[in-house]
Amino acid sequence: MALSTIVSQKQIKRKAPRGFLKRVFRRQKPQLRLEKSGDLLVHLNCLLFVHRLAEESRTNACESKCRVINKEHVLAAAKVILKKSRG
Amino acid sequence: MGLCGNIARVSLTVAAGRRTLLLAGRLGGPGAETMADHNPDGDPTPRTLLRRVLDTADPRTPRRPRSARAGAQRALLETASSRRLSGQTKTIVKGRSRGARSIGRSAHVQARGHLEEQTPRTLLKNILLTAPESSILMPESVVKPVPAPQVVQPSRRESSRGSLELQLPELEPSTTLAPGLLAPGRRKQRLRLSMFQQGVDQGLPLSQEPQGNADASSLTSSLNLTFATPLQPQSVQRPGLARRPPARRAVDVGAFLRDLRDTSLAPPNIVLEDTQPFSQPTVGSPNVYHSLPCTPHTGAEDAEQAAGRRTQSSGPGLQNNSPRKPAQFLAGEAEEVDAFALGFLSTSSGVSGEDEVEPLHNGVEEAEKKMEEEGVSVSEMEATGAQGPSRAEEPEGHTQVTEAEGSQGTAEAKGPGASSGDEDASSRAASPESASSTPESLQARRHHQFPEPAPPPGAAVLSSEPAEPLLVRRPPRPRTTGPRPRQDPHKAGLSHYVKLFSFFAKMPMERKALEMVEKCLDKYFQHLCDDLEVFAAHAGRKTVKPEDLELLMRRQGLVTDQVSLHVLVERHLPLEYRQLLIPCAYSGNSVFPAQ
């Protein structure tokens, strides 16, 4: 993940950081409880969100004809996707 | 007679100055070619001639005594004719006339001197036997006398034996001189190439030829010599590298013995001594530690590291010195002093152990200056103490050590300090390396001071000494590990998704973009938790259930009438999670997960 290195992770980790997700939820909403497989769905949600974000930022970068995804691309993409992701 | 004829032809061609290529071809060796290269005019040097002679000559047994006399007579007869030819060769060979003359004479004499018994080969063999091996290179002092005797001795040829054998006395002194000057000559071969070339012609070729046969590598061509030289000058340029190791080891034994005696007085330090793997790194590391904040100069650090390596190489002395090294930490500034002293010493002296005293003075003086700048009294005392014994005079050591101790405020240390100063003086004088000796001496002094005056307080102090350095060493470590646990798990978890982002993007990304992604993820998680809370509250629950998640995803637009949650689960999640999420019917009429 350096400046301009193509991430060629052929073997991406598919494991869900369940502990991390649970910790985040508990920090955010200590009064709430999360069900067993709920964090898996949360993980799924995160995956989809990240996926959309990546696609959007990639589109932005291609539109600006940059070979590297810049901060601005990500920012613009985040604006759109976060607006989309609000429930 | 064919040989003589060949030699005659050779001489004629030499005189004519033609067919050097022919000569070279005949001689066939690379040396001949190089000689040809040397002589762009195509002048066959005596060496080429001789080589050719050797190659073509038929081996014959010489009858030396008769041939010698006959040769002498023939030399007399032939001198006139040989001079003619040699004169011709002189014109051709620039600056090598003498050599050509001498060799030409020999060749001509051989050619016409009816040398049935004496062949050049045999003569050369004799030369091989008699002349000692020596390099072609002759210093000027030798080269000049060589032509001089050659000029003088032709007149003596009547009295001497044969032509070539006449040349033997000419060459032998040159050759005898050559080996004597061989060592310096070889070292200065680069500078003396011209002289070498002169010497080649002037009378060394005969000797050089057999020597060349003996040392084919060196004498086959002048070029080879030049190739051989670069190795030596390098060692000469850096004599310190060659001289350091032996001087070091020779002395360490004495220092080691003394250190043994010294360490016997301080049992607590044995604990540190035994830790050999740590003793050596502590030698360098503490110096490096304290040198870094103190001395921004990388040179000082390198010097310390080099000193550390040197100290490491002097193995036994180290073990005893390592416990004393902790004594440095007591002062605190002592390390800086040592760093400076090491740096200055290494920079100033840096070479021979013989000069240890002088660089000790210089380094310590410089260290003192630095100390004065820093205003470290302790270091000054140590420097003075180091200087005292370094002067190798016990009374001075006594006084200075006492001064140092008095300044330290430990009156008791005076007496034992004096005795320790003696030992230190001897040990320091013994230790070859100035850089290492100063820290050793400083530590040794401190080491001696404490145990000797009062063993119990000394033991207490010593016990505190190892404790203090340990304490001093440890604090730096946890500092680095301190800030890790705070943000790291959160960042670690986020990094997982950031990696996924970069994976999904399939394009190179900037680091700032990735940081941006982290921020986005944080925001997203906040939004997520808020939404889930709202949904759960809307359902009148305090627990977030999968239905809430599905609702969320529907609102996000991920789950539509066409795309159900299960589809998404199947798409994006691995099998293990799929099984957990999607209810599936199993055997025994059971559904997992239960709905």
Side-chain angles (χ1 to χ4, degrees), chain B residues 53-345:
Chain B
V53 164
L54 279 171
D55 293 338
T56 58
D58 303 330
R60 293 187 194 181
T61 60
R63 286 178 245 166
R64 294 181 196 180
R66 291 186 193 175
S67 61
R69 292 164 204 163
Q73 294 171 1
R74 288 153 203 162
L76 286 172
L77 298 169
E78 303 294 338
T79 44
S81 57
S82 64
R83 275 168 201 166
R84 268 183 260 148
L85 289 167
S86 65
Q88 289 175 357
T89 58
K90 200 177 183 179
T91 56
I92 296 158
V93 180
K94 304 172 188 175
R96 303 174 189 177
S97 59
R98 286 181 177 177
R101 226 187 286 155
S102 59
I103 302 303
R105 281 173 201 155
S106 65
H108 302 319
V109 167
Q110 289 174 21
R112 305 175 185 181
H114 311 294
L115 299 173
E116 302 93 354
E117 305 86 359
Q118 250 187 0
T119 61
R121 181 184 295 271
T122 59
L123 289 166
L124 289 170
K125 280 181 191 171
N126 297 336
I127 292 162
L128 266 172
L129 294 171
T130 55
E133 293 183 3
S134 64
S135 70
I136 299 174
L137 254 196
M138 297 285 296
E140 295 186 23
S141 59
V142 178
V143 171
K144 281 170 187 173
V146 167
Q150 286 174 359
V151 173
V152 174
Q153 286 176 3
S155 62
R156 296 183 212 158
R157 279 182 187 177
E158 313 165 11
S159 58
S160 55
R161 308 167 202 167
S163 61
L164 282 176
E165 292 178 4
L166 283 171
Q167 292 191 2
L168 284 176
E170 297 170 0
L171 295 166
E172 278 166 1
S174 66
T175 54
T176 50
L177 286 167
L181 297 162
L182 176 62
R186 271 189 185 157
R187 287 187 181 176
K188 301 172 188 175
Q189 274 179 352
R190 294 176 295 151
L191 311 173
R192 305 282 171 92
L193 187 57
S194 61
M195 295 313 304
F196 151 70
Q197 287 174 352
Q198 292 175 19
V200 167
D201 306 321
Q202 278 165 2
L204 298 173
L206 275 182
S207 63
Q208 288 159 3
E209 276 296 333
Q211 292 164 8
N213 298 335
D215 307 330
S217 63
S218 63
L219 298 178
T220 47
S221 66
S222 58
L223 289 173
N224 293 345
L225 273 174
T226 56
F227 296 147
T229 50
L231 300 172
Q232 290 159 350
Q234 288 175 3
S235 63
V236 174
Q237 287 169 7
R238 300 174 189 173
L241 291 172
R243 269 184 275 160
R244 273 179 201 164
R248 223 184 297 152
R249 282 151 202 170
V251 183
D252 279 340
V253 178
F256 172 60
L257 293 171
R258 283 167 211 124
D259 294 337
L260 274 177
R261 276 179 255 142
D262 304 334
T263 51
S264 63
L265 301 167
N269 290 336
I270 292 170
V271 177
L272 290 167
E273 288 176 15
D274 292 341
T275 61
Q276 246 184 344
F278 303 131
S279 68
Q280 292 176 0
T282 53
V283 169
S285 58
N287 295 333
V288 175
Y289 264 122
H290 301 277
S291 70
L292 288 170
C294 306
T295 60
H297 310 293
T298 56
E301 293 167 13
D302 298 337
E304 287 169 2
Q305 289 167 6
R309 285 172 219 145
R310 283 178 237 155
T311 52
Q312 287 175 19
S313 63
S314 62
L318 260 186
Q319 297 180 14
N320 304 319
N321 296 329
S322 57
R324 294 165 203 162
K325 303 252 173 175
Q328 286 178 341
F329 294 103
L330 288 172
E333 298 100 352
E335 298 144 3
E336 304 174 5
V337 171
D338 294 333
F340 285 115
L342 283 169
F344 285 112
L345 287 164

